[in-house]
């Protein structure tokens, strides 16, 4: 079941909301939490019911592990922590990386002319990376003595909570448990409905009206063996760059909006990352809760910057390489993570030598180009295809112009240029693709983001100011008739645009 589906919008969500608030009238605070936990498990089982026992087993083992860590003292606490973390990592390794390991070994064996390993029929459970990382953070917080709430129902809801379960954000126990235990959240509140539905519609529009319309321009150029020429490569790579941006941004908004309907605030997970002036800032803005997890539970655990520059650079590279592997089991993801690790090392070395760049235009432009180049490996099916597309951006596959521009042949010939009008093979110049791409670029670089639009109503747990000047007051959401009519019209446009329901790109991780 997808957030952008009719079954979710007009069947699942109304029933879950009604049950939650009706049970909130019972005076028994655990009943609404239990209902929401059961509804979240149903939501997960709708995708693949056979993995619900796996999710429940993971929740139970980690809950008991957290309780045991809290009860132990001395070295026994660390032994229990290591055992519990190992169990989580082994589960993730089997389901997410077993096929990758077998395929890599077989590729090496084939190159050496030797026999390989038999293939494995392991299917990746959806959302396993998110609920595993959420519980790893819980276990470490238990070890640090930062966990005070151990009610099993609340813990089940904390892990399985449907707005975040499939594609994040990665939650912290201390942020969510007090909200689940707050009886005030089990009573309907008009303000939460107005804000939550508005944020949800904004995210739905990003997904349905922008991201899904960019997808047809990106898919063909990333097909293996497509061999795009310069113009095709640039359009396809830019289309994917902004498709991913609005797809993930849309999901984050929809998750925050849905959660707000239940009176619960999620942490912000997206903050205009293409406006970043360097790679470090990009990672403070893109998938913010994952960046927080990698920093707090991996980079700092490796030593952070405490042991000199060389080790700091090593820790940055290791953190990003593992972050790349977290996103996907493939060498393309390893290269993507390695590129970002290299970017961070170069940035740190540059700042150490020359200080922070003061220019207003080239740091964000260079950062965006570096991020876009890395997205090629993130999206490509294999390394060879990624290299081919990256080369095509610089003209390695030649230049061809759309057939619709053949009328320019004579004027161009006067200038000594006689190009071939082979066509941009996979784009219709009269379709919505190019206008939507231009709109997406304008919105990503110039428009206020969701937390800026809703700045007066604190959309997430934390408040993030983009800059001192938040734009014109007209861009700040207010519970007025004008804003209501605008979002109602946007919702209707989304409904008419939901003729093809597509998954969110981050669902595969």
């Amino acid at each position: 079941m997808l957030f952008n589906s009719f079954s979710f919008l007009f069947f699942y969500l109304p029933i879950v909301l009604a049950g939650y608030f009706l049970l909130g009238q019972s005076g028994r605070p655990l009943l609404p939490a239990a209902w929401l936990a059961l509804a979240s498990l149903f939501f997960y089982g709708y995708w693949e019911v056979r993995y619900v026992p796996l999710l429940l087993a993971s929740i139970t083992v980690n809950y008991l592990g957290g309780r045991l860590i809290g009860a132990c003292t001395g070295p026994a606490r660390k032994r229990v922590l290591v055992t519990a973390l190992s169990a989580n990592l082994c589960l993730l390794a089997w389901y997410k990386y077993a096929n990758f390991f077998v395929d890599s070994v077989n590729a090496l064996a084939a190159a050496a002319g030797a026999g390989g390993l038999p293939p494995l029929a392991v299917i990746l459970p959806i959302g396993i990376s998110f609920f595993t990382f959420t519980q790893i953070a819980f276990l470490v917080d238990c070890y640090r003595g930062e966990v005070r709430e151990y009610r099993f129902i609340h813990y089940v809801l904390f892990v399985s909570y449907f707005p975040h379960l499939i594609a994040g954000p990665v939650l912290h126990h201390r942020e969510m448990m007090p909200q689940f235990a707050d009886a005030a959240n089990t009573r309907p509140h008009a303000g939460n409905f107005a804000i939550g539905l508005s944020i949800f519609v904004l995210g739905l529009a990003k997904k349905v009206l922008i991201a899904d319309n960019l997808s047809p321009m990106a898919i063909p150029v990333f097909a293996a063996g497509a061999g795009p020429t310069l113009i095709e490569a640039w359009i396809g790579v830019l289309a994917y760059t902004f498709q991913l941006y609005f797809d993930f941004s849309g999901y984050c908004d929809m998750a925050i909006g849905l959660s707000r309907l239940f009176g619960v605030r999620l942490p912000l997970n997206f903050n205009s990352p293409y406006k970043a002036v360097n790679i470090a800032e990009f990672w403070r803005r893109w998938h913010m809760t994952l960046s927080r997890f990698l920093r707090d539970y991996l980079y700092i655990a490796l030593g952070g910057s405490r042991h000199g520059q060389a080790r700091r650079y090593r820790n940055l590279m290791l953190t990003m390489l593992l972050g790349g592997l977290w996103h996907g089991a493939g060498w393309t993801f390893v290269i993507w993570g390695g590129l970002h690790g290299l970017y961070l090392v170069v940035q740190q070395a540059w700042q150490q030598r020359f200080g922070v760049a003061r220019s207003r235009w080239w740091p964000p432009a260079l950062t965006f180009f570096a991020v876009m180049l890395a997205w090629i490996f993130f999206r490509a099916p294999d390394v060879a295809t990624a290299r081919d597309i990256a080369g095509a951006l610089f003209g390695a596959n030649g230049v061809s112009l759309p057939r619709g521009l053949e009328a320019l042949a004579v004027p161009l010939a006067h200038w000594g240029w006689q190009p071939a009008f082979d066509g941009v093979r996979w784009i219709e110049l009269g379709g919505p693709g190019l206008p939507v791409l231009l709109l997406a670029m304008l919105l990503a670089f110039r428009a206020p983001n969701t937390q800026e639009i809703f700045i007066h109503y604190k959309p997430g747990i934390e408040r993030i100011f983009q800059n001192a000047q938040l734009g014109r007051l007209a861009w700040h959401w207010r519970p007025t008739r004008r804003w209501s009519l605008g979002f109602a019209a946007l919702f209707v446009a989304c409904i008419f645009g939901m003729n093809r329901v597509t998954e969110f790109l981050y669902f595969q991780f």
Side-chain angles (χ1 to χ4, degrees):
M1 193 183 310
L2 294 162
F3 293 167
N4 54 321
S5 66
F6 293 106
S7 58
F8 178 85
L9 292 174
F10 301 112
F11 178 73
Y12 176 86
L13 184 59
I15 291 176
V16 175
L17 282 169
Y20 180 74
F21 290 120
L22 284 174
L23 291 172
Q25 309 290 323
S26 67
R28 301 172 67 182
L30 285 180
L31 284 181
W35 166 260
L36 198 50
L38 287 173
S40 297
L41 292 173
F42 174 84
F43 179 83
Y44 187 79
Y46 190 88
W47 296 94
E48 186 58 73
V49 69
R50 62 176 169 171
Y51 284 126
V52 172
L54 175 69
L55 174 60
L56 287 172
S58 175
I59 289 172
T60 303
V61 169
N62 282 287
Y63 173 77
L64 294 175
R67 292 296 301 266
L68 188 57
I69 290 171
C72 290
T73 58
R77 284 171 60 84
K78 191 169 186 177
R79 287 197 296 269
V80 175
L81 173 67
V82 171
T83 301
L85 292 179
S86 299
N88 280 282
L89 294 175
C90 286
L91 180 73
L92 192 61
W94 171 253
Y95 280 103
K96 193 161 186 175
Y97 302 108
N99 284 326
F100 172 55
F101 174 77
V102 170
D103 292 343
S104 298
V105 169
N106 288 345
L108 291 173
L117 299 173
L120 298 174
V122 179
I123 300 176
L124 179 67
I126 192 167
I128 188 171
S129 297
F130 289 98
F131 70 71
T132 301
F133 271 32
T134 293
Q135 296 187 99
I136 286 175
F138 165 75
L139 293 170
V140 175
D141 288 346
C142 287
Y143 179 76
R144 293 173 176 172
E146 298 175 358
V147 175
R148 299 290 182 268
E149 170 63 59
Y150 283 102
R151 290 181 181 174
F152 183 66
I153 291 297
H154 288 163
Y155 182 76
V156 174
L157 178 56
F158 160 66
V159 178
S160 65
Y161 188 44
F162 77 90
H164 97 101
L165 176 61
I166 305 301
V170 179
L171 300 181
H172 270 302
H173 183 273
R174 62 181 175 270
E175 295 172 335
M176 304 307 297
M177 288 303 213
Q179 298 189 76
F180 293 145
D182 189 352
N185 290 338
T186 62
R187 295 188 290 271
H189 189 278
N192 285 336
F193 271 79
I195 296 166
L197 287 174
S198 297
I199 295 175
F200 178 84
V201 169
L202 195 60
L204 184 65
K206 290 178 180 180
K207 168 64 175 171
V208 173
L209 302 181
I210 299 179
D212 287 353
N213 280 310
L214 294 176
S215 177
M217 294 197 300
I219 290 174
V221 79
F222 282 95
T229 58
L230 186 140
I231 294 176
E232 293 172 333
W234 273 98
I235 294 176
V237 171
L238 283 169
Y240 178 73
T241 297
F242 288 96
Q243 178 200 0
L244 183 60
Y245 180 98
F246 283 96
D247 191 279
F248 188 48
S249 175
Y251 178 89
C252 293
D253 286 350
M254 293 166 80
I256 286 175
L258 288 170
S259 191
R260 189 64 175 264
L261 298 178
F262 297 94
V264 176
R265 286 182 169 90
L266 293 180
L268 297 176
N269 206 27
F270 200 88
N271 184 31
S272 298
Y274 290 169
K275 296 178 181 178
V277 298
N278 56 55
I279 291 295
E281 185 181 348
F282 170 81
W283 279 104
R284 289 193 294 268
R285 293 167 175 265
W286 176 275
H287 210 327
M288 297 154 63
T289 57
L290 176 63
S291 300
R292 178 181 64 179
F293 179 93
L294 293 175
R295 180 197 64 204
D296 293 348
Y297 299 98
L298 185 56
Y299 175 71
I300 292 176
L302 289 170
S305 58
R306 296 190 299 271
H307 304 292
Q309 289 295 329
R311 289 196 178 184
R312 181 185 190 182
Y313 297 157
R314 181 205 66 178
N315 295 338
L316 284 172
M317 283 297 301
L318 287 175
T319 299
M320 296 314 300
L321 284 170
L322 291 172
L325 266 178
W326 176 89
H327 279 84
W331 290 111
T332 52
F333 291 102
V334 175
I335 294 173
W336 174 77
L339 282 172
H340 275 277
L342 179 63
Y343 295 160
L344 287 168
V345 169
V346 170
Q347 177 209 328
Q348 295 296 326
W350 175 277
Q351 290 184 355
Q352 186 76 14
R353 178 67 176 84
F354 301 105
V356 178
R358 298 183 182 276
S359 173
R360 291 186 176 183
W361 71 269
W362 71 260
L366 181 61
T367 301
F368 173 76
F369 180 76
V371 169
M372 184 188 72
L373 198 64
W375 284 142
I376 296 173
F377 290 89
F378 190 85
R379 172 63 176 83
D382 52 63
V383 176
T385 301
R387 285 201 308 261
D388 184 57
I389 296 171
L393 291 179
F394 300 95
N397 293 346
V399 181
S400 63
L401 296 179
R403 293 184 179 89
L405 299 180
E406 286 181 331
L408 298 177
V410 174
L412 289 174
H414 287 304
W415 292 92
W417 189 31
Q418 296 179 339
F421 294 91
D422 299 334
V424 179
R425 293 164 290 176
W426 40 266
I427 181 171
E428 296 180 8
L429 296 179
L434 284 178
V436 172
L437 178 57
L438 293 174
L439 174 64
M441 296 171 71
L442 179 65
L443 293 175
F445 290 126
R446 304 300 300 173
N449 59 37
T450 302
Q451 61 259 26
E452 290 172 334
I453 295 173
F454 291 87
I455 192 68
H456 298 301
Y457 299 91
K458 197 179 179 183
I461 291 175
E462 65 273 74
R463 183 186 290 255
I464 296 177
F465 290 91
Q466 180 74 11
N467 48 48
Q469 300 297 325
L470 290 175
R472 295 180 302 169
L473 189 62
W475 282 106
H476 294 172
W477 183 90
R478 300 282 187 181
T480 62
R481 181 177 299 177
R482 183 174 62 177
W483 277 101
S484 299
L485 290 175
F487 275 93
L490 192 61
F491 180 69
V492 171
C494 292
I495 293 298
F496 281 104
M498 286 166 51
N499 57 328
R500 60 184 193 285
V501 177
T502 60
E503 287 188 358
F504 292 87
L505 296 178
Y506 256 77
F507 278 21
Q508 62 185 296
F509 309 130

